[in-house]
Amino acid sequence: MESVEKMLQFIDKSDNTIIELETLLTSYPAIAPESGGDGEWLKVAALEKWLKDHGITTIEHFDAPDARVSHGKRPNVVVTIPGKKHNKRLWIMAHTDVVPAGELAQWKQDPFKVLVEGDKIIGRGVEDNQQGLVSSVIAALALREYGITPEHDVKLLFVADEEVGSVYGIDWLLKNTELFKLDDMFIIPDGGKGDSSEIEVAEKNICWIKVTTKGKQCHASKPDDGKNAFLANCEFALLLNAMENTVFTERNPLFDPPRSTLVPTKKDPNVPNINTVPGEDVFYADLRMLPSYSIESTLAAIRDHKEQVEKKYGVTITVEAVMSNESPPTSENAEVVQLLKKSIKKIYNIDARAIGIGGGTVGAYLREKGYQCVVWSTQDETMHAPNEYAKISNIKGDAKVFADLMVTPR
Ligand SMILES: [Zn+2]
């Protein structure tokens, strides 16, 4: 029998191994200090021991110091499966931290003890992101079982701190190590569709702005004596939102919605009483721009447009970015996209397509540095919800896709 066939059969019979590993990982609540936890250390130590017991022994640490947790470090771990060639390496990246369980009454069981119901494994973290982690490990075990050497080095990367900003995870690795090379390719199995059909290759450039408008306070019975900062902001908020159609007119079908979105959201309180015209008013907006609009050019266009409102109301408007993140898309024609499409077709018999999303994934950190990177997995996206689950069949299917990719020459 061909070795690939044997690997796929091995994965088909891996239910118990999957449940065992999911159960082990879930039993360590790897919650960030920001959310009241003590980090990922114990979970990753248990994972390492499990991997070594299963014959996966090439494991390296690139830990980020963090004095807030009792071990003083946030673990970032690389598992290497040496290939025939050492260039064009395949990285599969999963994160080990989880979000808190939330309201316990909404769970069927203790969220940190898995419950298996038919094809579903239920527990905090079983999907986000242990599904991705476990499917990559099962693929590696399948290769090991039959002594198959991958075409190129395979690297399984288990990072800390994804849920609260990646400062001690992928962002730290990019700033403090030289682990990655530009001919590497990256798959992040941390998001996707239940039918395996969506490969995320791009995200919108994201920026949150704070708009502070200063006018002149007065009594509401004599509005002409003042300059109503709230009224000016109302007009500016509408103008800002209308720029989706008047200024940022490009449309890109990779994204849903296919346009840039400029959405006024949060509002700070202004005056405490109803009969005062506010002299100062603050609102915020969430901007998600198609990749062709840089944050800088977007802010410049917004500042250009504020002048007409300033003139009309006699106010001054200050626009400042309070958060921004931009990353160039991975090309739809990139090797990682093409190879993954082929493997998905082979295993799931479905034609997957490249898509863009609204923004804010860990993929952006890698894309920003020019690495070709996709987010893909087969999941129902129950992440962060009570009774979060992962399907054993999805873990096995994704493990087959990864195993197939690992042995594909390129
Ligand atoms: Zn995640």
Side-chain angles (χ1 to χ4, degrees):
M1 195 172 16
E2 218 195 313
S3 54
V4 177
E5 287 301 308
K6 283 196 277 188
M7 284 198 314
L8 300 187
Q9 284 192 6
F10 171 89
I11 294 169
D12 268 327
K13 288 183 286 191
S14 63
D15 295 50
N16 290 338
T17 315
I18 289 169
I19 293 168
E20 181 189 297
L21 185 52
E22 280 275 26
T23 304
L24 177 78
L25 295 171
T26 307
S27 69
Y28 296 92
I31 294 166
E34 287 90 337
S35 306
D38 196 31
E40 307 83 356
W41 195 266
L42 293 176
K43 179 175 180 174
V44 171
L47 169 62
E48 267 186 84
K49 182 175 182 306
W50 190 95
L51 290 171
K52 285 179 181 158
D53 289 347
H54 288 76
I56 295 179
T57 52
T58 314
I59 302 173
E60 293 165 283
H61 269 263
F62 300 87
D63 302 331
D66 184 355
R68 299 170 304 170
V69 291
S70 48
H71 284 82
K73 286 179 275 189
R74 308 291 292 278
N76 295 303
V77 165
V78 178
V79 172
T80 301
I81 304 135
K84 294 174 192 160
K85 299 184 198 109
H86 306 302
N87 65 343
K88 294 185 162 193
R89 300 169 303 171
L90 168 66
W91 291 81
I92 303 174
M93 175 172 114
H95 64 87
T96 54
D97 59 318
V98 300
V99 293
E103 218 181 304
L104 291 179
Q106 297 206 38
W107 285 83
K108 292 182 179 181
Q109 91 280 15
D110 174 349
F112 295 103
K113 287 199 176 83
V114 302
L115 177 69
V116 182
E117 275 184 355
D119 191 30
K120 285 183 186 169
I121 301 175
I122 304 166
R124 172 56 79 232
V126 294
E127 182 186 69
D128 183 16
N129 189 212
Q130 288 159 210
Q131 165 165 346
L133 189 160
V134 172
S135 53
S136 72
V137 167
I138 296 292
L141 286 180
L143 262 72
R144 208 200 99 73
E145 180 75 13
Y146 298 104
I148 298 165
T149 305
E151 283 298 317
H152 299 260
D153 286 355
V154 170
K155 300 273 187 179
L156 309 187
L157 173 59
F158 306 135
V159 291
D161 194 33
E162 189 273 340
E163 298 291 359
V164 272
S166 293
V167 173
Y168 301 90
I170 188 63
D171 196 24
W172 190 87
L173 291 173
L174 285 163
K175 285 176 177 152
N176 294 281
T177 72
E178 283 168 13
L179 271 174
F180 312 124
K181 299 196 181 102
L182 280 169
D183 68 353
D184 291 345
M185 61 186 206
F186 296 80
I187 299 177
I188 303 174
D190 190 20
K193 264 275 166 69
D195 64 359
S196 323
S197 66
E198 290 188 349
I199 302 171
E200 186 238 293
V201 296
E203 46 197 276
K204 290 177 181 172
N205 293 327
I206 176 168
C207 181
W208 292 343
I209 56 168
K210 178 181 183 185
V211 178
T212 306
T213 296
K214 290 197 169 138
K216 188 177 164 219
Q217 188 175 315
C218 68
H219 196 281
S221 66
K222 297 208 175 257
D224 301 343
D225 293 350
K227 285 161 183 165
N228 191 332
F230 174 50
L231 198 57
N233 261 355
C234 288
E235 183 148 339
F236 187 51
L238 289 168
L239 181 79
L240 183 74
N241 185 242
M243 288 172 82
E244 290 183 3
N245 297 310
T246 56
V247 177
F248 305 107
T249 52
E250 191 195 310
R251 299 294 181 260
N252 183 338
L254 213 56
F255 292 89
D256 177 24
R259 66 180 191 279
S260 302
T261 54
L262 297 91
V263 183
T265 51
K266 183 176 152 175
K267 180 83 186 65
D268 280 351
N270 46 36
V271 288
N273 53 314
I274 298 176
N275 59 352
T276 297
V277 166
E280 183 170 330
D281 192 73
V282 175
F283 76 95
Y284 302 79
D286 176 302
L287 318 178
R288 292 176 194 242
M289 310 303 295
L290 293 175
S292 56
Y293 298 116
S294 72
I295 300 296
E296 205 188 323
S297 68
T298 301
L299 291 175
I302 292 170
R303 289 188 180 117
D304 271 357
H305 278 66
K306 76 186 171 76
E307 280 168 25
Q308 48 180 290
V309 179
E310 286 177 323
K311 265 196 201 133
K312 182 168 169 187
Y313 291 89
V315 297
T316 38
I317 300 175
T318 312
V319 177
E320 53 186 318
V322 289
M323 190 279 286
S324 70
N325 196 334
E326 59 186 351
S327 63
T330 290
S331 163
E332 285 176 79
N333 303 315
E335 197 174 28
V336 64
V337 181
Q338 297 307 316
L339 292 173
L340 181 57
K341 272 187 183 175
K342 266 189 209 156
S343 291
I344 294 169
K345 179 75 180 172
K346 207 188 286 182
I347 302 299
Y348 284 110
N349 193 28
I350 192 162
D351 292 306
R353 62 192 185 95
I355 61 144
I357 63 155
T361 78
V362 285
Y365 294 97
L366 288 159
R367 291 195 195 107
E368 199 185 334
K369 298 278 188 296
Y371 299 105
Q372 46 168 324
C373 158
V374 298
V375 177
W376 175 85
S377 67
T378 308
Q379 56 170 250
D380 292 345
E381 300 216 292
T382 60
M383 49 182 66
H384 301 210
N387 303 311
E388 173 182 352
Y389 66 84
K391 286 183 178 159
I392 297 167
S393 53
N394 288 341
I395 297 177
K396 292 197 289 189
D398 290 3
K400 288 179 187 174
V401 170
F402 295 148
D404 186 61
L405 273 172
M406 289 172 186
V407 299
T408 301
R410 55 182 194 274

